[in-house]
Amino acid sequence: MAKPLRIGCGAGFSGDRLEPAVVLAERGGIDYLVLECLAERTIALAQLRKRRDPARGYDPMLERRIERLLPALQAHRFRLVTNMGAANPLAAADAIIGIARRHGISIRVAAITGDDVLAEIEPAARTLETHTPLAEFGELVSANAYLGVAALLPALESGADVIITGRVADPSLFVAPMAYRYGWALDDFDRLARGTSVGHLLECAGQLCGGYYAEPGPKEVPDMANLGFPYADVDPEGDATFGKVEGTGGRITLANAKEQLLYEVTDPFGYVTPDVIADFSKVTLRETGSNRVAVSGAHGRARPRELKVSVGYLAGYVGEGEIAYAGANAVARARLAGEIIRERIGRQFPDMRVDLIGATSMHGRSFDHAAHPYEVRLRVAARAKSAELAMIVGEEVEALYTNGPAGGGGSRKYVHEQIGIVSTLVDREQVTAKVTIKEYAANAKAA
Amino acid sequence: MPKLHELAHCRAGDKGNTSILSLIAYRAEDYPLLAAQVTIDAVARHLRGIVEGDIRRFELPALWALQFVCARSLSGGVTTSLALDAHGKSLSYALLEMEIPVS
């Protein structure tokens, strides 16, 4: 049997660790390395950066990741697929070419555009979340359709070493190389569904290897400081076996794979991507060796006619302030501090939240654990129309040092701009993906 | 009464204002108990004040798992929530606090 297609996942979110991808690139024997770096809000933030500087708007860690990966890319000739293009895949391609030129490494980069539909989106279109028109959400800053395998195939056919995209459904980043390598038809929904199950298991990188899983005692994971990232050996049917590079930390187990298969899936019987509606309910996972788990058995139905569009809007500002109390009556003093803040600025900030970190901040109550913690931290957060107003929240909490309950210490204050995200649908015919090739040849003078 | 934590593990995910809780038995023989006891009503009671919308439950015996899709559970949604844990990443461990009657 021919060597199966090996796809590694070198990043599961924009801020993910850098070196696990380098380990996969140098020692993973991979054919493709996928870096998934685009959360719901990331592209809206990137759009704001692009507004300030048309040469930006791609992932802020792109240069650091590419710098570290290019030498291995040259040595091992795998192909890189990533959505680090964010709001500006063309500028991202230019940045990659620039890095390659500095290193004297020949490279062909394919940038995929067409996901940005901000100019075409209908203000009257209703959101999937609240069924209200987009126009009610104030200033829209981004609208990106989720592209699928069909948008990536021409880039793979171009022979590019690096395929850089904006918004693409996460599993599609992985399914595209499978469909390309094995020649799957775009209406071969069972294979696409199996590939989607594989992509879905890989897309959060370390989360398949013990990250977001570990709990001392019942769920031990070794050497998490050196957590390895996973790869999948995918067969022509779309079934796969997962593994990680020898000597890396973490562990790939059945229990962990089950958690990741179901992660963020709102309907395990109908997981919708631009490529397929995948049924994960009959999926079989089995441990086939140490750090080896095999997946098979997903089924598919025809892909949806419409594409999901993620829309970002300016949602105002949030001001936060924190201060901590310890020892006798710590909770009572923190509560008193919160009451003082509410009395002073509650009317000015009707949308305010007061938390006791260490007691009730996460779930609003503590079930039966630790009703009397030794220390507790007051947190106040409130929404404001401007950054100046949001500042007041932290300032008021800080002023508790000399005006509040006894022993308040360690005050901190923050202001954040908020970007809200809602989604809507567009007909897939309205979205046209385009591939732009950029090249640098090390022997020639010009790119 | 034992807590769910002794029988099962859980991972929390998010989509907008929806929290998705994957509850998985450690042992196949405990799955029927989970399916019988961790009903939609029981979860709604246990997570009152957190889950404000409808709960859908999917049964996945092949994975020894129940999937709970909980609408309006993230204080308005990940991107605009005032909560410290806007994603509800920690809600998995809130579910595992549920007490399970065993015969």
Side-chain angles (χ1 to χ4, degrees):
Chain A
M1 204 174 86
K3 182 181 165 295
L5 174 68
R6 179 169 288 188
I7 305 174
C9 183
F13 80 109
S14 174
D16 214 338
R17 290 177 183 167
L18 294 170
E19 78 280 358
V22 180
V23 171
L24 276 170
E26 290 176 347
R27 296 193 278 130
I30 49 173
D31 300 299
Y32 287 85
L33 181 65
V34 177
L35 307 178
E36 196 291 286
C37 297
L38 215 46
E40 276 190 315
R41 194 166 34 174
T42 323
I43 210 158
L45 295 170
Q47 196 72 40
L48 292 179
R49 290 196 301 276
K50 185 181 171 186
R51 273 195 199 176
R52 289 192 292 269
D53 179 354
R56 311 295 295 185
Y58 52 82
D59 189 286
M61 281 173 75
L62 176 130
E63 281 93 348
R64 288 164 70 192
R65 293 194 194 279
I66 297 294
E67 286 277 358
R68 298 204 39 186
L69 288 170
L70 270 195
L73 190 81
Q74 185 188 32
H76 302 286
R77 302 318 298 180
F78 60 87
R79 303 174 82 182
L80 183 65
V81 181
T82 177
N83 53 14
M84 279 196 293
N88 203 346
L90 293 172
D94 287 336
I96 294 168
I97 294 287
I99 295 166
R101 181 179 289 125
R102 248 189 300 113
H103 286 265
I105 295 173
S106 298
I107 200 161
R108 178 181 293 184
V109 181
I112 298 177
T113 52
D115 60 306
D116 184 342
V117 293
L118 183 60
E120 292 95 58
I121 201 87
E122 287 289 334
R126 291 177 182 270
T127 67
L128 298 177
E129 292 82 6
T130 55
H131 310 290
T132 46
L134 287 174
E136 287 179 16
F137 287 84
E139 186 183 348
L140 305 185
V141 293
S142 67
N144 295 78
Y146 283 79
L147 303 179
V149 168
L152 273 79
L153 284 179
L156 289 161
E157 284 155 6
S158 76
D161 305 292
V162 179
I163 289 119
I164 183 132
T165 76
R167 178 62 74 196
V168 168
D170 295 347
S172 307
L173 295 168
F174 299 86
V175 180
M178 303 176 204
Y180 171 68
R181 162 76 169 267
Y182 292 127
W184 295 345
L186 291 180
D187 60 357
D188 188 346
F189 296 114
D190 278 336
R191 284 192 177 84
L192 290 169
R194 288 192 287 266
T196 297
S197 70
V198 175
H200 175 69
L201 279 156
L202 285 173
E203 74 181 57
C204 294
Q207 284 193 190
L208 188 61
C209 301
Y212 199 42
Y213 174 83
E215 179 187 341
K219 297 162 81 183
E220 295 281 354
V221 176
D223 194 16
M224 294 188 73
N226 299 299
L227 197 71
F229 282 6
Y231 58 73
D233 289 328
V234 189
D235 73 21
E237 297 304 308
D239 292 328
T241 302
F242 299 94
K244 63 185 189 68
V245 175
E246 199 72 34
T248 58
R251 182 175 285 157
I252 297 178
T253 65
L254 184 60
N256 192 157
K258 287 179 181 179
E259 284 192 16
Q260 193 55 27
L261 180 71
L262 296 174
Y263 178 63
E264 291 187 337
V265 174
T266 52
D267 183 351
F269 293 78
Y271 178 76
V272 181
T273 80
D275 311 313
V276 64
I277 298 175
D279 180 352
F280 291 166
S281 65
K282 309 283 190 310
V283 162
T284 305
L285 293 165
R286 54 186 205 288
E287 261 178 40
T288 58
S290 170
N291 285 313
R292 300 289 285 176
V293 167
V295 61
S296 61
H299 293 277
R301 306 194 293 278
R303 68 186 193 181
R305 279 171 52 98
E306 291 170 307
L307 296 178
K308 185 171 141 182
V309 178
S310 184
V311 180
Y313 63 96
L314 298 182
Y317 292 80
V318 170
E320 280 182 87
E322 295 179 7
I323 190 165
Y325 300 87
N329 267 327
V331 171
R333 282 179 285 136
R335 281 220 176 89
L336 172 59
E339 285 159 15
I340 293 168
I341 297 292
R342 273 206 195 277
E343 186 175 336
R344 285 182 59 82
I345 59 170
R347 215 169 306 160
Q348 191 180 355
F349 297 96
D351 200 358
M352 177 186 281
R353 178 177 166 126
V354 178
D355 288 317
L356 298 185
I357 299 175
T360 56
S361 69
M362 301 300 262
H363 302 148
R365 64 185 195 279
S366 60
F367 295 94
D368 63 354
H369 292 283
H372 300 286
Y374 179 73
E375 60 181 49
V376 64
R377 188 165 177 80
L378 174 80
R379 170 184 180 264
V380 180
R383 207 177 304 285
K385 286 209 159 53
S386 70
E388 291 70 32
L389 280 175
M391 288 278 290
I392 292 170
V393 179
E395 288 166 0
E396 281 289 332
V397 173
E398 187 180 42
L400 291 170
Y401 269 141
T402 57
N403 300 283
S411 179
R412 297 283 187 278
K413 53 189 176 183
Y414 313 94
V415 170
H416 316 277
E417 184 174 12
Q418 278 210 321
I419 306 286
I421 297 289
V422 287
S423 41
T424 187
L425 298 173
V426 290
D427 197 285
R428 64 168 65 232
E429 307 303 326
Q430 282 178 261
V431 178
T432 311
K434 188 179 163 212
V435 179
T436 306
I437 304 291
K438 304 209 178 209
E439 258 179 299
Y440 169 70
N443 298 330
K445 277 274 174 251
Chain B
M1 278 194 283
K3 288 192 166 185
L4 261 185
H5 180 255
E6 293 168 38
L7 303 173
H9 53 111
C10 186
R11 177 167 298 201
D14 60 274
K15 278 274 183 277
N17 198 11
T18 298
S19 175
I20 301 120
L21 301 173
S22 311
L23 182 71
I24 305 161
Y26 281 110
R27 303 177 307 169
E29 56 265 39
D30 289 329
Y31 174 77
L33 178 68
L34 297 190
Q37 296 292 342
V38 192
T39 59
I40 289 174
D41 285 347
V43 172
R45 267 199 308 279
H46 179 69
L47 297 180
R48 69 188 179 282
I50 298 173
V51 176
E52 293 178 353
D54 291 338
I55 299 175
R56 296 174 74 196
R57 187 182 93 152
F58 297 95
E59 297 178 14
L60 300 152
L63 300 170
W64 319 340
L66 297 171
Q67 182 90 326
F68 295 92
V69 180
C70 309
R72 295 199 287 127
S73 302
L74 298 175
S75 320
V78 174
T79 53
T80 54
S81 160
L82 290 179
L84 198 53
D85 178 18
H87 298 87
K89 297 274 187 192
S90 68
L91 291 180
S92 46
Y93 280 83
L95 181 58
L96 293 176
E97 288 293 324
M98 185 191 280
E99 291 181 331
I100 298 296
V102 283
S103 49

